[in-house]
Amino acid sequence: MNERTIICLSCPKGCRVKVKANGDDIKDISGHECPQGIEYAKNEYLNPTRILPTTVRVKNGQIALVPVKTASPIPKEKIGEAMQKLSEIEVEAPVELGQVIVNNILDTGVDVVATRSIKEKN
Amino acid sequence: MKTKRELVIVGGGPAGLAAALEAHKNGVEDILLIERDEYLGGILQQCIHNGFGLDYFNEELTGPEYAERFIDELSDKKIDVQLKTMVIDINDQKMLTVLSSKKGIEFIEAKSVILAMGCRERTREAIRIPGTRPAGVMTAGAAQRYINIEGYLPGREIVILGSGDIGLIMARRLALEGADVKGVFEIMSYSSGLVRNKVQCLDDFGIPLYLQQTVTKIHGQKRVEAVDIAEVDDNFNQIPETKKTIECDTLLLSVGLIPENELSQQANISLDDITGGPIVDQSRETDIPGVFACGNVLQVHDLVDNVSEEAEIAGKAAAEFLLNETKDEIKQSLEIAPGKNITYVVPHTLNINANTSPLIELFFRVKDPAEDCKISIKDNQEELASYTRPIVEPGEIESVKLPIKLINISSDEIIVELITGGE
């Protein structure tokens, strides 16, 4: 039996929720003060995901980098690999907000998109 | 050269942008927005992480996305924007002295001014860390600009002092970019950042948070080589026998923000010693009629969403000041003061006239964390209203909406108190 404490982020209270499980089979959840804690702890235990915000190099842009993010959360364990992949990329200015920078990164089904418009260097 | 303007807004960050749009929406036709950087958006542009806009837009945005919504809306309006321009003086007659490399010195006579200069970070000098003065000691926000806008990694072995949100966000950002973040050290017994940031910025990356510890000395000649760390007791006195040395090449400071009010002081505007910002009434008007303040120059906010909302109050009030020729007579003036367990309250005064909105929102910070407690609003005579709270923390601004009809007509003071379980 595995036991892990997960801090629930559904509200600022931050309940420390205890999850007991055998592998992926959750046996018990305790320590939550509202039902949101159960759902949160379940997801965080079985499939933790995060939005990844970072930057990508821009060629010929008014600034050197364009901020980007994954359009939706990706599995937490893929974040390191995604950073590596994004460090190898350079995009050409102009860049539009929302423009897809990498399609379906690491086969997650999630695009990496620009979060700022960057004009060409004058 | 001297020009005349109806409304001048100082600062093109989130506060200035929202104030300009709201003033325009309420009928002001001559608006000049002055920004010292090369682009609008202020510090939002370097806050590339998500978590903005949940209150204001009901969706989660990054800083640049949040800024761009306002910049887009501004672009097709008749609002003049002057970039790379610095306001170097304002006097109590609302005369601005403005400097830019393009136009040199200009003088602008404004009928109304909105102060939206934001805040800046406390530095090493402000907290007086002993030691040598090598390169590699910088504020978390300066490192954020290097990494996210300029494209430089400021160091490889990082110690962060202060667990404010910027410090936590930068711990993650540096870890993602391959730096070794050795730990975040916090002199208080609790983290001053949001729980969410502690979990997702530190725990996710295995970065330790050390409470009741601080940096006592900086080592290194040209570049930071190490810092000394010591535990502190409950009175913040260092405990010498706990001293240890940590090798690092960079020390980031996330030790608080100070509203940037040099211009307000030059204009002789009265400031609140606690917030560091101007003293304002409910329309965010300072003690110079027609001069308003909003955003982090007034009080340091936790969420940009609240900055936008506050700026809209100021923008609307500036429009009323400019367009409403006959001023409504003030029927009652009250001071709003922090009482038991409360650090400060904004606004500081309440001037009630025929046009005053029936609900006044009061913003304040509590002194210490508490659970299952009550916010009590009193005037000189009795308790007017109370509001229960499951949890309050000094790191999160609280607010309540007070119906002004509850205020006794003969009162001249409102007091905000926090009543905790034991009382």
Side-chain angles (χ1 to χ4, degrees):
Chain A
M1 188 84 92
N2 271 331
E3 199 178 303
R4 231 180 88 197
T5 303
I6 288 168
I7 298 174
C8 176
L9 301 181
S10 304
C11 86
K13 198 153 191 169
C15 291
R16 303 178 73 85
V17 184
K18 260 197 189 124
V19 179
K20 286 184 191 165
N22 260 337
D24 277 359
D25 184 15
I26 294 178
K27 298 286 186 202
D28 185 50
I29 294 181
S30 61
H32 53 283
E33 288 187 24
C34 82
Q36 287 186 76
I38 302 179
E39 206 48 35
Y40 184 89
K42 233 188 234 172
N43 288 335
E44 185 65 16
Y45 186 86
L46 295 174
N47 179 31
T49 60
R50 301 283 185 267
I51 286 178
L52 172 62
T54 182
T55 53
V56 164
R57 286 186 197 87
V58 185
K59 209 181 205 165
N60 226 5
Q62 265 189 339
I63 56 173
L65 301 168
V66 59
V68 301
K69 68 174 183 185
T70 55
S72 51
I74 61 170
K76 196 174 130 184
E77 80 267 7
K78 294 215 168 173
I79 281 178
E81 214 183 318
M83 282 299 292
Q84 184 59 41
K85 171 119 189 159
L86 290 168
S87 74
E88 293 157 9
I89 288 172
E90 190 170 37
V91 294
E92 188 97 28
V95 181
E96 286 298 314
L97 190 148
Q99 182 180 323
V100 175
I101 304 295
V102 178
N103 216 314
N104 183 18
I105 189 157
L106 305 174
D107 287 323
T108 52
V110 175
D111 293 340
V112 174
V113 297
T115 58
R116 179 178 179 176
S117 306
I118 309 283
K119 289 185 196 145
E120 276 173 277
K121 204 188 281 178
N122 305 327
Chain B
M1 208 178 82
K2 191 165 127 184
T3 49
K4 288 189 177 186
R5 287 283 190 166
E6 288 282 301
L7 173 60
V8 177
I9 299 171
V10 186
L17 288 167
L21 285 167
E22 191 67 16
H24 179 271
K25 193 173 125 190
N26 284 278
V28 183
E29 288 173 353
D30 176 25
I31 303 174
L32 173 63
L33 177 60
I34 299 177
E35 166 57 44
R36 64 184 170 192
D37 210 333
E38 292 172 41
Y39 42 77
L40 293 172
I43 297 305
L44 279 173
Q45 298 289 17
Q46 67 184 56
C47 298
I48 64 163
H49 54 281
N50 49 302
F52 301 90
L54 285 165
D55 287 352
Y56 193 85
F57 290 114
N58 272 321
E59 57 182 303
E60 190 172 14
L61 303 170
T62 65
E65 289 174 307
Y66 189 97
E68 204 153 321
R69 294 217 173 168
F70 287 86
I71 297 168
D72 276 354
E73 213 188 316
L74 198 96
S75 62
D76 62 348
K77 308 264 180 332
K78 204 187 148 295
I79 297 172
D80 297 330
V81 176
Q82 217 169 303
L83 299 173
K84 293 196 261 185
T85 303
M86 180 105 178
V87 177
I88 56 171
D89 187 55
I90 302 176
N91 70 17
D92 54 10
Q93 303 300 307
K94 289 175 271 189
M95 170 79 86
L96 292 88
T97 309
V98 169
L99 191 65
S100 66
S101 56
K102 209 169 166 187
K103 296 184 174 174
I105 286 194
E106 285 178 280
F107 300 96
I108 303 171
E109 213 179 288
K111 275 195 198 156
S112 179
V113 176
I114 298 178
L115 305 171
M117 292 88 79
C119 61
R120 61 166 175 260
E121 296 172 280
R122 292 175 77 203
T123 58
R124 172 185 180 176
E125 287 69 28
I127 56 168
R128 299 187 210 120
I129 307 173
T132 54
R133 313 188 80 74
V137 182
M138 67 191 84
T139 63
Q144 190 178 44
R145 186 174 173 112
Y146 284 136
I147 299 178
N148 293 344
I149 295 198
E150 323 249 344
Y152 299 107
L153 191 63
R156 299 204 172 271
E157 294 183 4
I158 320 285
V159 166
I160 300 177
L161 177 62
S163 65
D165 287 309
I166 316 169
L168 302 180
I169 294 283
M170 287 316 295
R172 170 174 66 183
R173 189 73 190 112
L174 283 153
L176 279 172
E177 291 292 347
D180 175 13
V181 183
K182 307 224 163 178
V184 175
F185 296 84
E186 168 62 57
I187 197 167
M188 305 296 284
S189 56
Y190 53 87
S191 163
S192 52
L194 301 171
V195 182
R196 179 189 192 82
N197 285 335
K198 200 231 154 220
V199 171
Q200 297 199 342
C201 298
L202 300 187
D203 301 354
D204 272 10
F205 295 89
I207 300 168
L209 171 64
Y210 301 100
L211 298 173
Q212 291 197 288
Q213 298 195 23
T214 192
V215 173
T216 59
K217 195 171 181 183
I218 295 170
H219 300 276
Q221 287 308 315
K222 286 192 168 155
R223 179 80 197 187
V224 175
E225 287 163 19
V227 295
D228 289 349
I229 302 284
E231 291 175 23
V232 299
D233 63 20
D234 291 341
N235 299 316
F236 308 111
N237 296 315
Q238 292 163 19
I239 306 170
E241 52 277 24
T242 62
K243 193 199 97 174
K244 59 184 176 189
T245 301
I246 297 179
E247 283 182 23
C248 60
D249 61 19
T250 304
L251 174 64
L252 292 197
L253 303 169
S254 172
V255 291
L257 301 167
I258 310 163
E260 195 159 332
N261 274 295
E262 282 71 18
L263 288 175
S264 319
Q265 282 171 313
Q266 282 163 265
N268 272 326
I269 289 168
S270 306
L271 301 184
D272 175 339
D273 289 340
I274 307 288
T275 59
I279 289 176
V280 294
D281 71 4
Q282 76 275 16
S283 67
R284 306 302 185 266
E285 191 171 26
T286 67
D287 55 5
I288 299 183
V291 179
F292 301 82
C294 56
N296 283 354
V297 79
L298 178 58
Q299 57 172 332
V300 176
H301 295 69
D302 324 315
L303 298 176
V304 70
D305 306 64
N306 299 339
V307 168
S308 303
E309 280 159 19
E310 186 170 80
E312 286 170 356
I313 297 174
K316 188 166 182 246
E320 258 160 46
F321 175 86
L322 290 167
L323 303 172
N324 192 358
E325 297 280 307
T326 54
K327 301 275 174 274
D328 292 306
E329 189 199 344
I330 292 170
K331 290 192 294 192
Q332 189 180 2
S333 271
L334 300 104
E335 299 266 323
I336 308 174
K340 214 186 311 174
N341 301 323
I342 300 291
T343 313
Y344 73 79
V345 189
V346 169
H348 306 79
T349 58
L350 175 56
N351 293 315
I352 301 174
N353 65 26
N355 255 330
T356 303
S357 132
L359 272 180
I360 295 296
E361 192 162 13
L362 306 176
F363 297 86
F364 49 90
R365 282 185 196 275
V366 300
K367 282 194 173 131
D368 294 301
E371 289 193 18
D372 300 320
C373 48
K374 190 178 93 170
I375 309 294
S376 167
I377 312 291
K378 297 173 178 168
D379 65 6
N380 324 40
Q381 295 164 40
E382 55 174 344
E383 180 173 84
L384 305 176
S386 76
Y387 307 78
T388 57
R389 289 284 183 277
I391 184 165
V392 292
E393 304 210 21
E396 296 189 24
I397 290 186
E398 281 293 328
S399 73
V400 298
K401 285 183 179 148
L402 177 70
I404 57 168
K405 63 169 194 275
L406 296 178
I407 299 169
N408 294 299
I409 194 75
S410 58
S411 297
D412 59 7
E413 189 177 39
I414 292 174
I415 299 161
V416 180
E417 286 188 356
L418 171 69
I419 314 288
T420 54
E423 296 168 83

